[in-house]
Amino acid sequence: MVELRLIAGVARTGAIGDGETIPWHYEEDERQYKDRVAGHPVVVGRKTHQGMSRVRGTHPVVVTGSPDEYAEADATFVSTVRDAVDAVAAEGEVGYVIGGQSIYAMFLPYAERAYVSELPERQVASRVFPYLGTNWSVTGRHEYDQFAVVEHENEAPLAPSEAPA
């Protein structure tokens, strides 16, 4: 069984980016993010995938409306949650959902954990992290100099088999 985990850096406003870039940079956050996702498949939207560099040791599972139009060595292109979960399962037991906004929303009901870097930024941006909901509870908090990573657990994740095909 595959475990999906969301991971994001989120400003106080809920912002995660402006659609083109992430408008802030925290070296410690980048380091903990890379350490956490290394060696795991990552589920990512096509635009986010095209705009970021790959973390060493990850296998991108790229969600797009037209997966047949793309081909890239060491990446899998899919269009549904079920196909993404199957692609993650082919690579390992844990997959990290790394964005963008619509991908977080799409996979939120199926995720078992979320690692949210609470950043002190107050910028308003066009892309936001979705509300986790009442099924989620905080299970841990790791303080860094400028931010904290809060671990959340979904008490009732949906099985990926329940996702639309």
Side-chain angles (χ1 to χ4, degrees), residues 2 7 10 17-18 38 51-53 55 63 66 96-97 109 125 131 134 147 159 164:
V2 169
I7 187 166
V10 182
D18 62 11
M52 66 186 299
S53 58
V55 176
V63 182
S66 51
Y96 283 88
V97 178
Y131 170 64
T134 58
F147 64 95

Side-chain angles (χ1 to χ4, degrees), residues 9-10 29 53 60 72 81 108 143 146 154 162:
V10 182
D29 189 40
S53 58
E72 184 179 308
V81 170
L108 177 67
E143 297 288 339
Q146 296 179 300
N154 187 348
E162 297 178 46

Side-chain angles (χ1 to χ4, degrees), residues 45 73 91 105 118 132 158:
E91 299 293 325
E118 293 182 343
L132 292 177
L158 296 178

